[in-house]
Structure formats: structure tokens, C-alpha cells
Amino acid sequence: MSTAGGPAPVLEGDLLDGRPLPAPDEVILRMRQAIAGGQHWFEALLDAVARWRIPEEVVAGRRYRYLIAGEAFDWLLLAERLLDEAADLVPAAARDALLWQNRWPADIDIDDGEFARRIGPAKHSAHLNYLYGVLVEEALQLSVEEEIHKEVRSRVWGFDERVDETMYQRIYGKSRDELLALHYQETGSLLTGDVALDDWKAFTYWLFKRRLKSQDRARVASDTRKGLAQLTRMELAVSERRFGARLDDADFAARYSA
């Protein structure tokens, strides 16, 4: 295992065979011991998330970037990493429901407040940054793309500058290539060809931050509502398709509210 910032920090006093354990291994060991000892796997997982120290790492050739720009925490990516280490202790169906549907186990009473308390205020605040800066931003982009496609389909003939805008131009005021160039100038990260998912998430978060800086407050609020509405529609549609019953607006708000 390697980490982005050099050797992983060591937790003082945590030893195995007289040797200090790297923090990730120590966290995983504690989580496994807690589950094996009878603690619910989801509680043990959240406790492990709270203890986790490193923002990114490479495991078996795969890069895990849990913290984007030092601000946005992808907690489900860390959950995937941790649950891979406890595959023999956690029901596969429950694991998949969490990682692919963001569906918490039904046999434990943990609400959003308890979730925030267990992972800690810093990580929860960073989790909300990821929710709004990546997930809602992606939903906003999709919503605007759909608007443009509808306008194109409604055009009988001729040129209409409004519908020949790209999504990037309409939201951020510049073309995709211009934004990629600005992103490279500001961050030193050059995105070309096949872009890794974590790099694209970082670019999306950069776009979110740029939008907050460049737009007036009314436009920011309007675009954020548009992204949230798109995310709501997607979640409601998935719920209806998978479970035969719609997740109502109140349930959605409880899951995704800040």
C-alpha cells in the first residue's frame, strides 16, 4: 500500500507483534474486530470512517481519492475501500445496497444526525461539500444538457444561437476546452484523452467553485435548485423502478438535506 502524502501516520500505542501498525491497517483491523465481536457492520463502518486519516492512497494498483481539493469528502468511496476488507463479515446484498443505491441498512436506527455525529463534524462538512460540489453539480449539468436537447428538437430549421450553446457555455460562460485550459493553469492537472473518474470529479468540483465565484447569488441559488430538482427526479425514478413504489419528496429531503 502507498499513500499520496508519504508514509501513513501511526496511531500511538497501537501495536501488532510489538510493531506499530500503519493507520489504515489499524483502522481496518479495529473495524473487523468490532463486527466479529457483535457490533452492527454499519456502525463499525462509520466508526472506521471517523478514524480514517489519509486523503488518498493506492491499493492494488487502484487510486482512491477520498478528499477532493482538501474540501469534498467522498465517503462512499472510503466505505467501498473498507467494506472490501470485510467482505466475509458483511452481507453482500447490504453492501451493494449501500455502495450502489446509497441505501442504509433497514435493521439499524441511524438517522442523518447520528451519521453526522459518528463520522465527526469535519468529515460531515466535507461530505456536504461533495454532495453539493460534485453530485448536485453533475445533476445541474445533466439538467442543462436536457434543456439544450429539448430546444434543439423543437427547432424546425435555421440557426438559433441559444440552442447551439454547449452545457459548459450556458452554465460557466466558457467552452469545455477553455475551462480545461483554465483548470490546468490553476491546478497543474492536465485532463486529456481518457480521464480517470477521480480526476473528473475533481474537475467537476473545480467547476462548482468557479460557478460560486463568478455568478451572482441569485443565479447560484437558482442553478443549485435546478441541480437538486434533477437529483430528486433521478432518485424518485430509481426508487419507483427498483421497489415499485415512489420515494416521496419528504424521504428524499431527509436523505439529502444539508
Side-chain angles (χ1 to χ4, degrees):
M1 179 190 304
S2 64
T3 67
V10 176
L11 294 181
E12 183 178 356
D14 290 315
L15 303 175
L16 179 65
D17 297 331
R19 295 176 292 106
L21 280 171
D25 292 342
E26 187 273 339
V27 170
I28 291 165
L29 177 61
R30 282 194 189 183
M31 181 186 71
R32 287 186 55 86
Q33 289 174 338
I35 299 171
Q39 186 180 21
H40 193 286
W41 67 266
F42 191 64
E43 288 184 319
L45 171 66
L46 295 184
D47 292 343
V49 168
R51 286 193 294 266
W52 193 263
R53 293 183 175 188
I54 59 176
E56 64 180 81
E57 60 180 340
V58 176
V59 180
R62 176 183 173 185
R63 182 175 64 181
Y64 292 82
R65 185 186 299 177
Y66 312 115
L67 193 64
I68 297 171
E71 298 177 349
F73 175 42
D74 186 353
W75 96 270
L76 282 178
L77 181 63
L78 177 54
E80 178 186 357
R81 162 80 170 96
L82 291 168
L83 291 176
D84 281 346
E85 299 287 349
D88 56 323
L89 299 173
V90 178
R95 173 192 181 278
D96 291 346
L98 174 66
L99 298 182
W100 300 109
Q101 304 168 27
N102 195 21
R103 185 152 52 95
W104 298 0
D107 58 342
I108 188 170
D109 185 19
I110 290 184
D111 59 14
D112 288 343
E114 177 67 7
F115 171 80
R117 187 191 70 78
R118 278 192 173 269
I119 69 173
K123 284 193 176 75
H124 185 255
S125 177
H127 156 66
L128 294 179
N129 287 341
Y130 180 83
L131 169 62
Y132 283 95
V134 179
L135 299 184
V136 174
E137 197 71 10
E138 289 176 337
L140 169 63
Q141 293 172 1
L142 177 59
S143 178
V144 171
E145 284 182 346
E146 290 179 349
E147 287 178 359
I148 293 173
H149 291 160
K150 289 177 182 177
E151 292 169 8
V152 169
R153 288 196 300 269
S154 68
R155 182 175 59 181
V156 179
W157 63 72
F159 175 79
D160 185 338
E161 183 177 356
R162 293 173 304 164
V163 298
D164 286 284
E165 289 179 309
T166 68
M167 173 271 291
Y168 293 100
Q169 288 169 325
R170 187 165 295 190
I171 298 176
Y172 308 106
K174 294 185 181 298
S175 70
R176 179 177 179 271
D177 288 344
E178 288 175 318
L179 291 165
L180 287 170
L182 287 171
H183 177 259
Y184 173 65
Q185 290 175 13
E186 292 186 14
T187 68
S189 177
L190 180 62
L191 305 182
T192 59
D194 295 331
V195 180
L197 179 59
D198 60 341
D199 286 333
W200 196 255
K201 288 180 179 180
F203 177 57
T204 301
Y205 189 70
W206 178 84
L207 288 172
F208 163 74
K209 298 280 288 197
R210 178 181 174 82
R211 181 168 65 83
L212 294 187
K213 293 176 182 177
S214 62
Q215 294 179 355
D216 61 57
R217 297 176 68 177
R219 172 72 187 278
V220 168
S222 175
D223 279 355
T224 300
R225 285 194 298 270
K226 183 181 294 186
L228 284 167
Q230 177 70 28
L231 197 59
T232 301
R233 289 193 296 271
M234 293 164 62
E235 178 70 9
L236 295 178
V238 168
S239 175
E240 185 174 19
R241 184 169 65 251
R242 286 182 175 150
F243 309 117
R246 294 181 65 86
L247 180 72
D248 63 30
D249 291 345
D251 288 337
F252 180 89
R255 181 178 302 180
Y256 287 108
S257 65

